[in-house]
Amino acid sequence: MLIPKTDPYPSFRRRAGCSERIAAGMSAAPSRHRLASRSVRRLATLAGLLLPALAHAASEPVIRHALDLKLDPERGTLEVRDRIVLPEPLVDAPGGLTFFLNASPSVRVEEPGARLLRLNPAEHTDIARYRLTLAPAQHQVTLRYAGTLRHDHDFTAAHVTAEGVYLDGTGGWYARFPGTRLEVTLEVELPPGWSAVSQGRGEIIADGAHSSRFRWVETQPQDDLYVVAGRWHRFSREGEFTRAEVYLRTQDPSLAERYLAATERYVALYSRLLGPYPYAKFALVENFWETGLGMPSFTLLGPRVIRLPFILDTAYPHEIVHNWWGNGVSVDIERGNWSEGLTAYLADHLMRELAGEGARYRRDALQKYRNYVDEDEDFALRHFTAKHGHASGAVGYNKALMFFHMLRRRLGDCTFVDGLRRFYREHRFERASYEDLRRALESVSGQDLESEFSQWVDRVGAPRLDLDGVVAVAAADGFHIRGRLRQTQAGPAYRLRVPVTAQLADGGRWRADLEMSGKVTAIDLAVPGRPVKVTVDPEFDLFRELALEEIPPTLGELLGRDGGVAILPADSGLREAYRLLAIRLGVDRFELDRGLESLPSGRPVWVLGWENRFRGKVASTLEREGVQLADRTARVAGEPHARAEHCTVLASRATGTGLAWIGCESETALEGLARKLPHYGKYSYLTFGVEDTVNRLKGSWTRIDSPLEVQLGPELAFSPPGETPPATLTRCRP
């Protein structure tokens, strides 16, 4: 996707949306990639209107805004007085200054020496482009405008309603000057009982019977300015590193306390790990529609999202870490969005690593890349700007976090952390690129990382590994493991540091790293005892294309591909409901079970319905997982699930591609599954309640046959291999 070279709204791409685990719990919510896609489409319409970008992001001038904002939610209107102080580089700019503002309110300039000219016709866009011409040496100008904001009703950037207020720069509620950043003092007037939240430090100016007034001040350079308002119950307390705040639409002290405690915990953890938290507060704000948005110094979550029990340990730390990456250090978008991958690695991955589940998380990340990224959809990490679908997310989040994991392994935990601290310290409240990050890591490690960054950031694709001719040979110093490791992908070899482990006959476990720079590398590794099993990359430490045999079948293998075949039950009264479900899941070919002799090949296959004559075929492919599909019960994960009470979903493989069966006895529940299943792609099996479509069971099959694992002796009863000890990054102190 082509992105305009100059973007008057760069920060929207970073914050607009929710993670997959949020979306899994809010079926009606707009997802992160959907919102970002709208933003990109909107920006494309403005591409011809934009001024040339400044030569370097760090040189962006900073404009100071003193904004008086009066909101009337019942009428849907606003009144704004914006006193603008221009920095020296913009004073006496040849030809004047260009800014963007919502097209609906009428705008005027107060200073008699300044002139304002609209440059684009009103009917073409809801964002107007203006040229501002100032008197010689004039540093200040005041804009006044009022009215109802015009906006595309499928867009979420400008809401002033009786339910609540949401404003960001893409809605044009304040004057945005391309190629600049801003500092702000914002005073907001609202009806009594309303509160306003923005970035920075806030205070209540007045809380009277006729109106409420709030002041928010942010003195650090910002990409955008956000205002949200609602009728909230406010909770707060001072922490060691910042002020924690919670704004809830209902009086719920218990929920507020959980978020206040989590805020203090995460801000403390990351302040010690990365450097001082960059804002005066972090606030959890309950929105009036289902969202999962992160802005500088606060996050905006929907009413259902905010109450999901897993959010505190998953998406919430992710949004807090974005205050270091994406907000504290912002993205030089023309040179690649590194922020999402680094945030995912230091939040989502680190939380799982601390729980002893880092290897499983990395496997899931690699599996998403395999499931969702076809050769035609792949692109270099450098070209990732925002998630706008499964494929782009698998590159921008999953490939990127694996890249950072490999950097960590190459440099060592504390050197890696020292490099991140230096990167943060040197680029705080500036835009930064992959090159800036590389230089910071090189400066603390003394290593040349240019080729490492080049092969992962600028190259498309992933390595594929295969083992060949592995044997154990007795030698004077013990045993040697010999064989060949191959890279089988098209194109040149990657430079890899490949983890190799061996289980020994005496119960021990041996580890080593094999440096690989060619397409074929000879293996000759001395081990201290007789090896009975050799495994390459057992903890999924490398970014690579997984072999199909390494991973359990999941729904993602069907959801991640265009098209598919649905086999409908000819003798079921729910046949039409199943057909509608299949359409929502991306199916474009339909067959009746009684018209087929065997499963179709070459395409993902959905077998739908308890009455489907291919139900037993699916069950037979899952016998070793203990699955049994009787007429009235599905036995999954060792437990019976009654047909009348549960909707059951099973993923398998057959005919060389993904295979799944869905059995559900309710038309209403099938409608619910259509919304929910796309968010459960990493699972092999699921059950949902028929009455409420609430997930009851989820998990992945456990048996795999990896081609990167070779049995050299009799199968022994070993304990599952442990991971590298967790919490290693958090032990690194300044």
Side-chain angles (χ1 to χ4, degrees), residues 11-33:
S11 61
F12 183 75
R13 291 201 187 90
R14 195 219 61 75
R15 61 93 192 144
C18 60
S19 69
E20 288 183 8
R21 61 180 68 76
I22 293 181
M26 55 172 198
S27 57
S31 69
R32 184 178 296 268
H33 69 267

Side-chain angles (χ1 to χ4, degrees), residues 337-349:
N337 183 349
W338 50 267
S339 166
E340 292 298 349
L342 186 56
T343 298
Y345 185 62
L346 294 175
D348 309 61
H349 176 271

Side-chain angles (χ1 to χ4, degrees), residues 238-256:
E238 293 291 340
E240 180 181 359
F241 297 94
T242 196
R243 184 177 183 84
E245 298 180 350
V246 172
Y247 295 80
L248 299 179
R249 291 163 63 84
T250 59
Q251 183 68 265
D252 192 340
S254 176
L255 180 64

Side-chain angles (χ1 to χ4, degrees), residues 619-633:
S620 69
T621 66
L622 296 171
E623 284 180 352
R624 71 177 191 170
E625 300 290 351
V627 170
Q628 298 175 9
L629 295 180
D631 286 340
R632 297 186 178 276
T633 305

Side-chain angles (χ1 to χ4, degrees), residues 318-380:
H318 183 104
E319 297 306 336
I320 288 177
V321 173
H322 262 313
N323 287 278
W324 280 266
W325 312 129
N327 292 325
V329 180
S330 57
V331 175
D332 184 351
I333 202 69
E334 294 182 19
R335 294 193 281 177
N337 183 349
W338 50 267
S339 166
E340 292 298 349
L342 186 56
T343 298
Y345 185 62
L346 294 175
D348 309 61
H349 176 271
L350 183 57
M351 292 300 107
R352 292 287 294 275
E353 184 181 58
L354 292 173
E357 298 178 347
R360 180 183 291 273
Y361 183 89
R362 294 189 294 274
R363 186 199 69 182
D364 290 346
L366 293 172
Q367 189 166 2
K368 287 178 183 177
Y369 180 84
R370 192 190 193 289
N371 287 345
Y372 298 134
V373 182
D374 289 326
E375 183 177 345
D376 293 340
E377 294 183 295
D378 205 357
F379 59 92

Side-chain angles (χ1 to χ4, degrees), residues 528-639:
R530 181 167 64 87
V532 297
K533 183 188 292 185
V534 176
T535 310
V536 168
D537 194 24
E539 294 175 4
F540 304 96
D541 290 310
L542 296 176
F543 175 70
R544 57 188 176 87
E545 184 178 324
L546 297 178
L548 194 63
E549 298 84 358
E550 286 185 89
I551 50 180
T554 64
L555 289 178
E557 293 177 31
L558 294 90
L559 296 168
R561 303 296 181 220
D562 290 334
V565 182
I567 302 178
L568 301 173
D571 299 324
S572 171
L574 293 170
R575 188 173 74 187
E576 179 61 15
Y578 278 120
R579 190 185 69 84
L580 294 175
L581 167 65
I583 291 172
R584 294 281 295 275
L585 297 177
V587 169
D588 61 6
R589 175 182 160 192
F590 297 88
E591 302 284 354
L592 292 179
D593 58 346
R594 66 187 175 197
L596 295 175
E597 294 299 323
S598 61
L599 291 172
S601 61
R603 302 181 75 183
V605 177
W606 298 88
V607 176
L608 304 175
W610 281 94
E611 299 88 349
N612 200 302
R613 62 193 288 271
F614 288 97
R615 184 188 74 193
K617 176 63 176 177
V618 178
S620 69
T621 66
L622 296 171
E623 284 180 352
R624 71 177 191 170
E625 300 290 351
V627 170
Q628 298 175 9
L629 295 180
D631 286 340
R632 297 186 178 276
T633 305
R635 178 169 288 276
V636 183
E639 299 179 8

Side-chain angles (χ1 to χ4, degrees), residues 464-470 481-489 493-500 513-525 536 542 708:
R464 290 196 298 266
L465 298 180
D466 191 25
L467 272 175
D468 181 31
V470 176
I481 298 170
R482 291 177 180 159
R484 289 171 297 279
L485 182 63
R486 302 179 184 274
Q487 296 186 31
T488 62
Q489 75 281 352
Y494 289 83
R495 178 172 172 254
L496 302 175
R497 188 183 186 198
V498 183
V500 181
D513 286 321
L514 180 67
E515 295 290 343
M516 187 179 193
S517 57
K519 294 295 283 282
V520 181
T521 297
I523 300 172
D524 191 349
L525 301 171
V536 168
L542 296 176
L708 296 182

